[in-house]
Amino acid sequence: MQTVIETKGLCKAYGKQLAVNHVQLHVPQGCVYGFIGPNGAGKSTTMKMLLGLIHPSAGQVFLLGRELTEKNRLALLRQTGSLIESPSGYLHLTAQENLRIVADLKGVPHKDIDRVLDIVHLTGDRNRKVGQYSLGMKQRLGIAMALLGNPKLLILDEPTNGLDPAGIQEMRALLAGMPAATGATVLVSSHLLGEMEQLVEQVGIINQGKMLFEGSLRELQRHSKGSLTLRVLHPQKALAVLQTNGVAAQLKENFLTLPPLWDDLVAGLVQALANSGAGVVELTRHTKSLEEIFLSLTETKGVV
Ligand code: ADP
């Protein structure tokens, strides 16, 4: 599979601080890639370098297989749509009028406006003034602007910021369907892992300018799975089953604490425990917070 965004040793220094510290991104074609990290981690700075809005202190950016340089920047960015700052658009104009202005700037025919309005579900509101839009609608209009000209790549910085739960849900559904609807690869940043978990296939985790993890969501979940608590009627029978299956467990009263395990293994264990007559009453998985995942990633020094 082609890598549509790649960075090599990307750095940005502000004074003595390395806001982006040797970041290596690999975004495969056709996916939704979640770029996740707390506020101040370096997400926006990285994205701005991908778009040539700020100069890297060191390192290289490759978009669509070509190195981003002063010479080919415009050609590459013509194939890229972005939403970096909060939603743009003239409030006293309608969505349609705003899109016409952007289409003219991009040299895109006006007929493309119908397509992008349809994708972001704003066709019915196209003739309303943007000043009357909710924040969610403004964000979707921003994405419609980014989609004009059918870019191969979409770079969206925290598009769910400030949205209410319904708006977040809508944005998630919109982005999840984006590769199928438009063929574009989506790089989307967020400071909320939970929000991204239901949306992205690939993730990059950044903290204090450094990538701690890059890979599939499944691999990240290996890090983020918490321990399990099992309550049974007959702990000794349960302990024997766990031992046979090579699972270390700690017993305290009728509660057994198990290490993080894959779902398949858990399902098999529950079956074996039931067959043994241990009497399974309760099984709880403790989910790790983003903070704990960061911590476990830092402890293992990441798996980039
Ligand atoms: P994020 O998008 O993950 O919230 P940013 O990329 O905006 O993080 O910021 C990363 C770090 O770089 C922060 O510590 C921030 O204060 C610093 N930073 C960002 N832009 C500038 C700037 N123009 N001048 C100085 N420091 C900056």
Side-chain angles (χ1 to χ4, degrees), residues 14 17 19 38-45:
Y14 288 118
Q17 184 205 4
N39 289 329
K43 304 180 297 294
S44 294
T45 307

Side-chain angles (χ1 to χ4, degrees), residues 122-156:
L122 282 178
T123 304
D125 295 293
R126 65 196 301 162
N127 292 319
R128 279 177 66 191
K129 287 198 172 137
V130 173
Q132 300 168 5
Y133 272 20
S134 68
L135 181 62
M137 292 165 84
K138 284 180 194 155
Q139 288 287 58
R140 283 187 279 135
L141 176 61
I143 291 180
M145 290 173 176
L147 284 172
L148 280 170
N150 219 356
K152 294 190 176 118
L153 187 55
L154 271 183
I155 297 180
L156 311 173

Side-chain angles (χ1 to χ4, degrees), residues 14 43-55 68 84-85 155 157:
Y14 288 118
K43 304 180 297 294
S44 294
T45 307
T46 303
M47 286 176 146
K48 285 176 187 161
M49 288 193 279
L50 296 180
L51 294 165
L53 297 172
I54 53 177
H55 276 291
L68 183 69
I84 290 289
E85 305 294 342
I155 297 180
D157 193 12

Side-chain angles (χ1 to χ4, degrees), residues 23-27 32-38 43 187-190 193 196 200-207 210-217 220 294 297 304:
V23 162
Q24 322 263 59
L25 274 184
H26 305 85
V27 180
V32 181
Y33 182 109
F35 192 32
I36 301 159
K43 304 180 297 294
L187 174 69
V188 53
S189 71
S190 175
L193 180 65
M196 292 280 108
V200 301
E201 299 133 57
Q202 292 289 118
V203 288
I205 302 244
I206 184 168
N207 193 24
K210 281 189 190 160
M211 290 289 281
L212 298 180
F213 172 88
E214 186 181 55
S216 67
L217 195 59
L220 179 70
F294 279 144
L297 284 170
V304 180

